[in-house]
Amino acid sequence: SSTFFNVNLDQTRRNGAVMELDWRPEPAWRLGGAYTYTDSEVTAGPFRGNDLPLVPMHNGRLFVDYGHGHGWGVNGEVLLVGQRVLGGDFDNQFEKLAAYAVLNLTARSHWGHWQFTFNVNNLLNEKYSETGAVGFDQAFTRRDAYFPSPERNFRLNVSYQL
């Protein structure tokens, strides 16, 4: 805030629905997805009728999973996130954060007590921002700022369970 005090937001509302599907065409295969619809708005005060920051109207996930009976499996997922109002933009005056889709892959295996998981996140190396905000620059001019999400990245988890 320009006064450097925190101010609580007036009343807000979020109505929506979630739909999830999970199907096993064969014991080793699992296909599914989820979709969330959220209608959110400020319902009182000076921002009444405006969309809530950082709440996408559309959000989803599609996945396919194959688990071999000999201790290994693979999983692919697509995460889909719709446009969102920037954090702090209760006036809804700035351009919205762009919608994005990201593809992630996971391979997993276990031998005895050992478990290995290897992830490739953002496989297609998409350039996107999961979040952004409205703030002030050095001259106290109100500006938008975008926080870039990670490029293609890898993660290896190794665990041992007694």
Side-chain angles (χ1 to χ4, degrees), residues 128-139:
Y128 67 102
S129 292
E130 289 177 84
T131 190
V134 173
F136 293 95
D137 64 12
Q138 305 89 319

Side-chain angles (χ1 to χ4, degrees), residues 54-56 81-86 96-100 129-131:
L54 301 175
V55 179
V81 178
Q83 290 183 334
R84 288 134 306 148
V85 171
L86 287 168
K96 291 184 176 186
L97 277 163
Y100 66 88
S129 292
E130 289 177 84
T131 190

Side-chain angles (χ1 to χ4, degrees), residues 77-100:
E77 69 175 357
V78 176
L79 302 177
L80 306 144
V81 178
Q83 290 183 334
R84 288 134 306 148
V85 171
L86 287 168
D89 184 16
F90 292 101
D91 291 320
N92 293 178
Q93 292 180 341
F94 286 82
E95 196 169 313
K96 291 184 176 186
L97 277 163
Y100 66 88

Side-chain angles (χ1 to χ4, degrees), residues 83-149:
Q83 290 183 334
R84 288 134 306 148
V85 171
L86 287 168
D89 184 16
F90 292 101
D91 291 320
N92 293 178
Q93 292 180 341
F94 286 82
E95 196 169 313
K96 291 184 176 186
L97 277 163
Y100 66 88
V102 177
L103 174 63
N104 300 319
L105 295 178
T106 301
R108 62 189 181 277
S109 181
H110 70 268
W111 292 297
H113 295 282
W114 290 96
Q115 180 155 348
F116 303 88
T117 306
F118 180 71
N119 299 82
V120 181
N121 298 311
N122 192 6
L123 180 71
L124 303 177
N125 207 27
E126 295 293 323
K127 304 237 183 284
Y128 67 102
S129 292
E130 289 177 84
T131 190
V134 173
F136 293 95
D137 64 12
Q138 305 89 319
F140 289 97
T141 303
R142 199 163 179 234
R143 296 194 182 265
D144 50 347
Y146 300 88
F147 307 102
S149 294

Side-chain angles (χ1 to χ4, degrees), residues 3-128:
T3 60
F4 298 99
F5 292 103
N6 287 326
V7 177
N8 288 332
L9 187 62
D10 289 307
Q11 288 184 326
T12 63
R13 174 190 52 75
R14 293 168 188 82
N15 289 327
V18 176
M19 180 176 64
E20 294 183 24
L21 300 170
D22 196 326
W23 178 49
R24 288 187 178 269
E26 294 183 18
W29 286 94
R30 195 169 147 228
L31 308 169
Y35 169 74
T36 302
Y37 169 81
T38 307
D39 178 22
S40 66
E41 72 173 286
V42 179
T43 58
F47 305 117
R48 182 183 185 130
N50 289 355
D51 292 334
L52 283 173
L54 301 175
V55 179
M57 183 177 283
H58 306 283
N59 193 358
R61 175 181 180 253
L62 299 171
F63 73 88
V64 59
D65 187 271
Y66 178 77
H68 194 273
H70 298 292
W72 64 270
V74 292
N75 177 285
E77 69 175 357
V78 176
L79 302 177
L80 306 144
V81 178
Q83 290 183 334
R84 288 134 306 148
V85 171
L86 287 168
D89 184 16
F90 292 101
D91 291 320
N92 293 178
Q93 292 180 341
F94 286 82
E95 196 169 313
K96 291 184 176 186
L97 277 163
Y100 66 88
V102 177
L103 174 63
N104 300 319
L105 295 178
T106 301
R108 62 189 181 277
S109 181
H110 70 268
W111 292 297
H113 295 282
W114 290 96
Q115 180 155 348
F116 303 88
T117 306
F118 180 71
N119 299 82
V120 181
N121 298 311
N122 192 6
L123 180 71
L124 303 177
N125 207 27
E126 295 293 323
K127 304 237 183 284
Y128 67 102

